[in-house]
Every structure is written in structure tokens, then in C-alpha cells.
Amino acid sequence: MVPCLNDCGPYGQCLLLRRYGYLYAGCNCKAGWRGWSCTDNSTAQTVAQQRVATLLLTLSNLMFLAPIAVSVHRAFLMEASVYLYTMFFSTFYHACDQPGEAVLCILSYDTLQYCDFLGSGVSAWVTILSMARLKTVLKHVYRCGHRRQCYPTSWQRWVFYLLPGIAMASMGITIYTSLTTSDNYYYAHSIWHVLLAGSAALLLPPQDEQAEPWSCSQKLPCHYQICKNDRDELYTVT
């Protein structure tokens, strides 16, 4: 009648598996706890170690302040809002995804998990889209043929921004997909947060200083004027 003894206690989660008509139940223990009901603390983490792990996973998200600041400075407001969303929900998801004492849930676990995964994917996507704006790409292809120099023309852009950003993104993906285990999860995933946010800050394209965000080219006789946003292809009447 009871699938798991004592519902696996505060350091475990009761899992059910149905296979070939049979129902299996077992405890998935965390933080180093073991046993049928996660009561064996011979290899368990102390409360201090749990708090350190929680702080690593949550405070490492503050690295997203770097791409947020860069995005705001370069007028990439959509990208800045996405990075802020990711930082917020990733912080509180990892604060909730902890066993035992060091845990804080502001929403349900499933909601925080969904928002965290969504934010991570969208952050990578908007960074790629920001780097690959069609008009900007065509403009630089034209400059490449006209000047016989490929974008970016300065080696500083490659050395200090693009190559380090690509290297950080590659290292982060490698750590996330191949090197993360249950034993080093707290440290590896914290490094993943830092590398993901750092690569986003470095790979964001520079702001086009030669063009105004909104250019008003046509004035109407009723003292209104039509303004076009060259970057987002938006029009408005002011």
C-alpha cells in the first residue's frame, strides 16, 4: 500500500516504474544519502556542503549581468530581457532543486524547471539571431568584396571577442554534455552558467554607430513624420 518507506525522507524522491505489467518503486537519494529510504548518511553531504552547492548553482547565474549590461549598452533590449529572464528563473530553479536544508521554492518545481530550460534555449537562440542579422550579414559581405577584407576587419575583434566567445561556448557545451556527473554536478553546472553567460556577452555584435535606431525621412503635411527602424524593419508615425 506504501510504495516507498517514509516517502524516502527529506533527502530522497520516490519514483515509480511500470514495466511489463509490473509496478516498481524505489527511492532516488540525493546529497550523498543512501539506503532503502535514504537514511544512510555514511557518505552524505553536511549542511554546510549543501549550502555551498546551492550558492554555487545560484550565484553563478549573476554572470548573466555581463550580457545584460552589454545588451542594454548596445540597445539590444530584447536580448537583455531574455538574459534577465534566464538569470531569474535559473537562480530560483537551482535554489528549489536542492535536497534537505538548503532549498527555496518560490513556485512549483515543474514550473521553475520549465522556465529554466526555456530560458537557456532562448538565450542561445537570440544570441545566434543577433549575430546573424540578415541585413548586417549582406552589408558585411558587400564590404568584404569591395574592400577585399572580411568582417571584422580588425584583429582585435577576433582576438578579444569572437575567438574567446566561441571557445567559452565550446567549453560550456563540452562540460554540459560530456563531463557532468552526479558527483561533480554542482561545480560543473556552475561553470556551465559562467561560460554560457560569458560567451553571450562576447559574441553579441557591436552597435552600428553610423545609423540611428530610428530615422525619420518623410514628413507629412499634418506635422507628423514617418520613422523607420532600420534594424527591426518597423515603421511608426510620430
Side-chain angles (χ1 to χ4, degrees), residues 74 131 136-137 139-145 147-164 166 202-207:
R74 298 177 182 176
M131 295 174 60
T136 304
V137 172
K139 178 177 65 176
H140 291 310
V141 170
Y142 168 77
R143 290 179 179 177
C144 182
R147 301 177 181 176
R148 297 182 180 179
Q149 290 180 333
C150 291
Y151 171 82
T153 57
S154 64
W155 61 269
Q156 291 92 341
R157 180 73 184 167
W158 282 101
V159 172
F160 296 111
Y161 293 96
L162 295 181
L163 292 180
I166 294 173
L202 292 173
L203 293 176
L204 282 173
Q207 186 178 12

Side-chain angles (χ1 to χ4, degrees), residues 30-130:
K30 299 181 180 179
W33 289 74
R34 307 171 65 181
W36 289 103
S37 59
C38 302
T39 55
D40 182 4
N41 62 354
S42 59
T43 60
Q45 295 179 351
T46 63
V47 176
Q49 290 175 326
Q50 296 177 38
R51 291 176 179 174
V52 170
T54 303
L55 290 176
L56 282 175
L57 291 171
T58 55
L59 296 182
S60 60
N61 288 285
L62 294 178
M63 187 65 183
F64 276 98
L65 291 175
I68 291 173
V70 173
S71 299
V72 172
H73 178 70
R74 298 177 182 176
F76 299 146
L77 299 183
M78 183 192 70
E79 289 82 352
S81 62
V82 171
Y83 297 145
L84 179 62
Y85 170 93
T86 303
M87 180 182 70
F88 179 84
F89 281 104
S90 179
T91 299
F92 286 100
Y93 163 67
H94 287 292
C96 184
D97 186 33
Q98 301 300 321
E101 302 293 336
V103 57
L104 173 64
C105 297
I106 61 173
L107 296 173
S108 66
Y109 177 83
D110 293 336
T111 301
L112 291 172
Q113 184 184 50
Y114 173 80
C115 293
D116 174 57
F117 292 170
L118 176 65
S120 299
V122 175
S123 295
W125 183 243
V126 298
T127 304
I128 295 174
L129 289 181
S130 180

Side-chain angles (χ1 to χ4, degrees), residues 56 59-64 66-67 168-169 172 187-201:
L56 282 175
L59 296 182
S60 60
N61 288 285
L62 294 178
M63 187 65 183
F64 276 98
M168 292 180 69
Y187 309 103
H189 202 73
S190 300
I191 296 175
W192 154 253
H193 288 164
V194 173
L195 293 176
L196 177 64
S199 63

